[in-house]
């Protein structure tokens, strides 16, 4: 699984933010790793220097093999919380989409013996 991290300049002020968020998202989506080609994470501060409640945004887009991309966006007061919330929401979505495919997968019908 390829991982891509994007952020605006106002978010990168904290130490190791990209590494922390990547580890957090990878850990949460680990069980889907074989079925995903790429995960993109975008974090930003909507208000910039103005401040405000829940102004940090984290958007995660996951690309399952042979399927359409799935995206989620969450808001929080800090980027780590926004990333954790987005990773949890993405895990639920992937479970719903990929889990449904797994439940409805059937073994090929055996040949009839006469």
């Amino acid at each position: 699984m390829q991982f891509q991290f994007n952020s605006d300049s106002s978010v990168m002020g904290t130490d190791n933010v990209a590494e922390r968020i990547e580890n957090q998202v990878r850990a949460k989506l680990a069980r889907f790793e074989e079925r995903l080609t790429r995960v993109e994470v975008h974090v930003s501060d909507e208000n910039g220097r103005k401040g405000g409640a829940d102004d940090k945004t984290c958007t995660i887009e996951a690309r399952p093999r042979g399927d359409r991309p799935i995206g989620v966006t969450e808001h929080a007061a800090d980027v780590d919380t926004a990333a954790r919330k987005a990773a949890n929401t993405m895990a639920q979505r992937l479970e719903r989409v990929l889990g449904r495919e797994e439940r409805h997968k059937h073994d090929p019908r055996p040949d009839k013996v006469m």
Side-chain angles (χ1 to χ4, degrees):
M1 172 178 74
Q2 190 179 39
F3 191 91
Q4 185 175 347
F5 181 82
N6 301 300
S7 70
D8 63 11
S9 60
S10 62
V11 175
M12 289 309 292
T14 59
D15 295 335
N16 303 327
V17 69
E19 186 179 330
R20 281 195 327 260
I21 290 175
E22 179 176 352
N23 291 337
Q24 193 174 23
V25 172
R26 279 187 183 273
K28 192 65 181 175
L29 303 181
R31 68 178 184 248
F32 304 107
E33 189 168 354
E34 294 295 320
R35 301 182 69 188
L36 299 175
T37 59
R38 185 168 75 200
V39 173
E40 292 183 36
V41 176
H42 303 270
V43 292
S44 62
D45 185 345
E46 292 181 338
N47 296 340
R49 288 183 280 153
K50 293 180 191 175
D54 293 347
D55 66 335
K56 307 297 188 285
T57 302
C58 180
T59 301
I60 300 177
E61 182 181 280
R63 296 177 182 261
R65 289 187 199 286
D67 210 342
R68 291 181 288 151
I70 300 169
V72 299
T73 301
E74 291 290 347
H75 301 273
D78 61 89
V79 292
D80 291 308
T81 304
R84 188 180 68 250
K85 288 169 64 175
N88 287 336
T89 304
M90 178 58 75
Q92 290 171 353
R93 281 249 177 104
L94 288 171
E95 180 62 41
R96 193 172 26 216
V97 171
L98 300 178
R100 182 182 325 128
E101 290 175 4
E102 199 59 38
R103 284 191 303 271
H104 293 288
K105 186 187 286 185
H106 298 286
D107 291 330
R109 190 171 130 182
D111 293 333
K112 290 184 179 180
V113 178
M114 292 190 161

